Amino acid sequence: MSRKILFTVAAALAIASVTPASAQECDTAGTVATGGSAAAGGTSASTLGTAGTCLNDEGATSSIASGASAASADGKAQSRTKINENPAHLKAQSRAQAVDQGTFSKSQTKTRVSDGELHSRTRTMSHVPGQKPSMDRTESNVILPQ
């Protein structure tokens, strides 16, 4: 149950960190989002990322959000999110990892907005010693017409 609470808190923080923009007319608009969770033994890790952009005669308005959560019953858990912006692009990266005596779960999401292209990718992995690792990858890409 604590894993669900941690994931819900991370998602709420990611959504709350986005400043609402005033409504505007878009000639072209797009959004991307990916997320994923991994769990093994008493560990779990989740990340998510989303981005959107609106293009009109005045230029582009974009937003980005990302979040991470990790939990471990008896081991170590860590998560972090980093967002970078400059005039050319927005980038966000979230990582989460939980380890408990060789059993681990990890998730990573990278999201970016650059020159009318929106991209988000999430990779997850979990492993229990002596078993085959479980891996997954989700990707979303949108290219807006100029």
Side-chain angles (χ1 to χ4, degrees), residues 30-46:
T31 59
V32 292
T34 61
S37 296
T43 67
S44 69
S46 302

Side-chain angles (χ1 to χ4, degrees), residues 48-99:
L48 59 91
T50 183
T53 194
C54 168
L55 300 175
N56 60 24
D57 294 337
E58 298 174 16
T61 303
S62 301
S63 64
I64 197 163
S66 193
S69 174
S72 178
D74 295 319
K76 295 180 182 180
Q78 64 182 18
S79 61
R80 66 179 182 253
T81 296
K82 184 176 183 180
I83 297 180
N84 293 321
E85 70 171 303
N86 69 36
H89 64 264
L90 290 171
K91 288 184 179 181
Q93 180 174 313
S94 291
R95 291 177 180 231
Q97 179 173 319
V99 180

Side-chain angles (χ1 to χ4, degrees), residues 19-139:
T19 305
S22 60
Q24 65 181 10
E25 299 259 343
C26 298
D27 296 331
T28 305
T31 59
V32 292
T34 61
S37 296
T43 67
S44 69
S46 302
T47 58
L48 59 91
T50 183
T53 194
C54 168
L55 300 175
N56 60 24
D57 294 337
E58 298 174 16
T61 303
S62 301
S63 64
I64 197 163
S66 193
S69 174
S72 178
D74 295 319
K76 295 180 182 180
Q78 64 182 18
S79 61
R80 66 179 182 253
T81 296
K82 184 176 183 180
I83 297 180
N84 293 321
E85 70 171 303
N86 69 36
H89 64 264
L90 290 171
K91 288 184 179 181
Q93 180 174 313
S94 291
R95 291 177 180 231
Q97 179 173 319
V99 180
D100 185 6
Q101 296 182 3
T103 298
F104 70 87
S105 301
K106 61 183 178 178
S107 181
Q108 176 184 25
T109 299
K110 292 182 176 183
T111 306
R112 69 173 155 71
V113 177
S114 179
D115 298 327
E117 182 178 352
L118 297 97
H119 182 82
S120 188
R121 178 187 76 206
T122 298
R123 292 185 201 181
T124 61
M125 181 178 181
S126 60
H127 179 65
V128 174
Q131 297 180 6
K132 183 178 177 182
S134 173
M135 294 180 275
D136 191 37
R137 178 180 173 148
T138 305
E139 197 163 348

